[in-house]
Amino acid sequence: MYAALLRAPGPIENHPLEYSEVAEPVPGPGEVAISVLACGVCRSNLHMIEGDWLPGTPAALPIIPGHEVIGRVKALGPGVSNLAVGDRIGVQPIWSTCGRCEHCVGGHEQRCRRRQITGETRDGGYAEVMLAKANFACKIPDSLSDTEAAPLLCPGITAYGALKKARLRPGRNVAVFGVGGVGHLALQMAAITGARVNAVSRSPKARALAEQLGAHGSYVPSGGEGGLVLREGSQDAAIVFAPSDKTVAEALRVIRPGGRVVLGVSQSVGVMDIGDEKTIVGTVLGTRQDMADVLDLAVDGKLHAVHEDFPLSEANLVLQKLKNGQLQGRAVLVPGA
Ligand SMILES: [Zn+2]
Ligand SMILES: [Zn+2]
């Protein structure tokens, strides 16, 4: 099979992914092999490929990146009874968890310290075939196409996890910082709660997209040009998916005393004034039940992933476009295209 293989991390301009022929993986106990139909391109993929992701990531080299995967089951490993050959399934960033720790049994399996991460500790979806843990895969409803479903598997579940922590309800004001792969889904979910959604982005194109997708208003961050700036203390909550260190300070500025900032990207928080009793909470991914909820929203037509599709063989170029801010919504790789 063909795969985009990372042998050594490096700047994406040097094309560190090798599109090459590798042995097809064979499913072990509890696993399935899938023919990959589509795989979303995540900013975290770019970080790992360039060598500035989490310590110990990737777990080994070479590795095949990609963790927003739609595929069709092509072979079952021993003991798999919940899937059949031919099923169309999705694989999210959490490839598996231990199932026994306090986080797994307490309804927060995304926090499991023994979790396996697709495309980081296990080979991922930048390939024609990959392995999935059968219990962690989700069946994909027929009404969703491969490329519109793929971004739901990471940006969708990530946005949903953030929304659950933002405590929104009708009449509340929320600022969503960043209208990229995740932010554009987060603002649609925020709108469903009945909250008044304000998108914040430096990019005029992103602000226009936000308004198309249901944001009440769009703004630029303090010091930005070409748009209005949110008033200090005007928001009940802020959800941050913009990859800039200045965003946390701006999010803290716009929320009211007692408000919350939900942080969906790792950033330095800086000095925090305790006087206003504001809360900053981190969020990462979600549970398998969250994933099912996200797919339901998409089937009901309440959630639309904006995506641009590319052949898998062009992975390096697509990641370069992501780095240069030249993509709208999510880029999706399609093997054999
Ligand atoms: Zn992702
Ligand atoms: Zn666990």
Side-chain angles (χ1 to χ4, degrees):
M1 66 159 186
Y2 274 87
L5 202 65
L6 180 68
R7 288 188 197 280
I12 198 67
E13 294 76 13
N14 298 348
H15 293 189
L17 291 176
E18 258 176 55
Y19 187 67
S20 49
E21 207 165 359
V22 296
E24 209 173 293
V26 178
E31 299 173 3
V32 294
I34 60 172
S35 298
V36 176
L37 302 166
C39 182
V41 175
C42 188
R43 187 167 290 274
S44 68
N45 300 159
L46 177 64
H47 284 298
M48 184 185 79
I49 291 162
E50 294 202 309
D52 65 355
W53 195 222
L54 308 172
T57 306
L61 288 167
I63 190 138
I64 301 170
H67 60 219
E68 308 167 7
V69 193
I70 306 297
R72 204 171 281 287
V73 176
K74 104 177 256 212
L76 304 179
V80 174
S81 55
N82 63 324
L83 295 173
V85 171
D87 283 349
R88 196 170 62 125
I89 63 167
V91 186
Q92 51 133 322
I94 295 178
W95 194 86
S96 70
T97 66
C98 81
R100 293 184 296 275
C101 71
E102 58 173 318
H103 309 296
C104 284
V105 298
H108 301 283
E109 60 188 5
Q110 72 274 19
R111 299 179 193 161
C112 177
R113 298 335 289 163
R114 277 178 288 170
R115 64 192 176 189
Q116 297 287 325
I117 301 292
T118 315
E120 294 184 7
T121 67
R122 293 304 198 114
D123 279 333
Y126 286 18
E128 290 177 322
V129 178
M130 73 170 270
L131 300 181
K133 197 84 174 163
N135 288 342
F136 278 78
C138 52
K139 288 195 185 163
I140 300 298
D142 289 341
S143 62
L144 302 175
S145 76
D146 303 330
T147 51
E148 72 185 323
L152 301 177
L153 276 294
C154 170
I157 194 170
T158 299
Y160 194 77
L163 256 292
K164 280 172 70 176
K165 295 176 184 80
R167 299 187 180 166
L168 301 181
R169 56 171 188 254
R172 290 220 160 168
N173 285 293
V174 59
V176 176
F177 288 80
V179 190
V182 187
H184 89 283
L185 294 175
L187 68 89
Q188 293 175 60
M189 291 178 191
I192 295 169
T193 68
R196 191 179 174 86
V197 184
N198 300 301
V200 185
S201 172
R202 286 181 190 282
S203 153
K205 256 170 94 178
R207 293 197 301 273
L209 175 67
E211 291 191 14
Q212 252 175 51
L213 293 173
H216 285 84
S218 66
Y219 297 82
V220 295
S222 294
E225 283 170 16
L228 298 171
V229 173
L230 282 171
R231 259 186 313 112
E232 186 174 332
S234 60
Q235 307 295 301
D236 297 288
I239 299 174
V240 176
F241 286 112
S244 152
D245 267 352
K246 291 186 187 139
T247 313
V248 180
E250 177 68 354
L252 284 169
R253 186 188 71 80
V254 303
I255 60 168
R256 62 168 169 78
R260 322 192 104 205
V261 174
V262 181
L263 208 49
V265 281
S266 292
Q267 285 179 3
S268 84
V269 169
V271 180
M272 196 177 158
D273 180 357
I274 59 166
D276 288 336
E277 295 195 331
K278 293 173 179 173
T279 303
I280 300 181
V281 58
T283 187
V284 68
L285 303 165
T287 63
R288 282 169 277 179
Q289 183 57 51
D290 293 336
M291 193 66 249
D293 292 349
V294 170
L295 291 170
D296 282 347
L297 287 174
V299 168
D300 289 348
K302 292 175 180 153
L303 196 59
H304 296 282
V306 175
H307 57 96
E308 273 185 78
D309 308 336
F310 301 90
L312 172 62
S313 55
E314 290 177 12
N316 283 306
L317 294 172
V318 175
L319 284 151
Q320 214 170 321
K321 276 177 185 269
L322 176 66
K323 188 175 180 177
N324 297 337
Q326 293 167 320
L327 294 168
Q328 203 169 37
R330 200 54 144 192
V332 177
L333 299 173
V334 180

